[in-house]
Amino acid sequence: MFARIIAVAALAAPLASAAIIDVFVGGAGTLKFTPESVTANPGDSIRFTFGVKNHTVTQSTFANPCTQITDANGVPGGFFSGYMPVAQGQTTDLPQFWIPVKDTKPIWAFCSQANHCQQGMVFAVNAPADPDPKSFANFKALATGGASAQPAPAVTVSTSIGPVATETPAVTDPNNAVGADPNAGASSAAPSSTISANEAAATGATGSGTVHQVIVGGTGKLLFEPDHITAAEGDVVQFVFKAKNHTATQSSFAQPCSPLAGGFDSGYQPSDDAGPNFPTSSFTVTNASAPVWFYCKQGNHCQAGMVFAINANDNSEKSFANFQNNAKGASSSPSASATGSAASATVTANSAVSAVGGSKGVVVALTVVSMVFALAL
């Protein structure tokens, strides 16, 4: 009994040390991350909040500061926030993007908008101190010394920049070891929320200037609201994430609960319903004649009907209703499942923070500890 109690106490210790480190991206007249470099411990989370005008957080390498990191096959990978437009004068509901810290290895990032990186808009986690050759100062010097920029339009809103691989070992999905979401089933969809052409122009949206806002999750909800929309070429779909920890992941009609190779993936977005700032991720419609299919890859959310579609033809076999029915009959994807149990002493600081963020994660984790303690008695 005492051995189990000691194990519970050991579990609680790392949870209290997990921290959320805030970083502000851009802002009026500013092309920089504030702060530009941070030190973080395993289990901590970095929370990026975006200011005006339209920036990204894109993972790179020390050797190529202004180019998105690629895998062994040259496929772009790492984390990518997508372009985050913020209107001049906007001070509330600012978009956010989170990354968890798995270990103490350096993480390098930049803004891939136009030539922002070449102007020094770079960021690092756990960069070695000067005079180490791979210090942050040297990383920034490489960025401003003519490194080739990642191709990007001067003003755009899109996270669908091509194949996005899984993150490098320094960063993992914040869903790691999080228990299954106990949310209830889906409810009826809400109308699409759109932004006018003038508002979209102010935030840097392209195409028709229509931004369709889609709410992902929420307390007691396993659904996208609305669950399907009609959009024109150039329109932007902005996913707004609420409780608890969801994704917007591109799939196919035939395999609704499996990621489409090279498709869009928001990554796991831990959130709650408190607001006012919720994580967002944006997708630009490039072909209005072809349906685009999405799902949430958290646990068995897809099998519970948590799917979404753009331009599905409801008068054909590939209707949204049939897509959702396919999802409900699909088997779980191994990469999409999240394991964990309230009666198990295997919750980590990283998973607790990922589930709900910051000190709230500690509260949840300590509740788990209490349950284990009670079992020990």
Side-chain angles (χ1 to χ4, degrees), residues 45 100 173-176 178 244-245 270-271 349-357:
S45 296
D173 286 326
N175 181 49
N176 182 34
V178 175
K244 297 183 175 178
N245 191 1
S271 183
N350 193 33
S351 63
V353 172
S354 300
V356 290

Side-chain angles (χ1 to χ4, degrees), residues 51-126:
V52 298
K53 305 178 178 178
N54 191 2
H55 301 289
T56 80
V57 180
T58 308
Q59 191 171 1
S60 65
T61 62
F62 180 87
N64 295 288
C66 300
T67 302
Q68 185 175 355
I69 196 170
T70 59
D71 64 15
N73 298 316
V75 177
F79 56 79
F80 175 51
S81 67
Y83 292 89
M84 297 291 195
V86 178
Q88 189 71 34
Q90 181 178 342
T91 58
T92 60
D93 296 326
L94 297 175
Q96 294 183 337
F97 179 73
W98 296 60
I99 64 169
V101 179
K102 182 180 179 181
D103 51 39
T104 58
K105 296 177 182 177
I107 302 171
W108 312 101
F110 70 107
C111 174
S112 57
Q113 175 68 273
N115 66 346
H116 292 192
C117 181
Q118 287 77 12
Q119 295 186 61
M121 196 169 180
V122 292
F123 173 78
V125 181
N126 294 331

Side-chain angles (χ1 to χ4, degrees), residues 181-188 190 215-225 242-244 246 273 301 306:
D181 192 332
N183 287 343
S187 61
S188 59
I215 305 300
V216 185
T219 300
K221 297 180 180 180
L222 289 181
L223 74 162
F224 294 81
E225 296 183 277
K242 294 193 175 181
K244 297 183 175 178
H246 303 287
D273 287 341
H301 292 192
M306 193 171 181

Side-chain angles (χ1 to χ4, degrees), residues 16-54:
S17 64
I20 295 176
I21 300 172
D22 281 299
V23 178
F24 199 78
V25 185
T30 302
L31 291 182
K32 68 180 296 185
F33 293 83
T34 306
E36 295 181 302
S37 180
V38 301
T39 300
N41 297 313
D44 290 352
S45 296
I46 312 297
R47 177 171 58 192
F48 298 96
T49 301
F50 293 81
V52 298
K53 305 178 178 178
N54 191 2

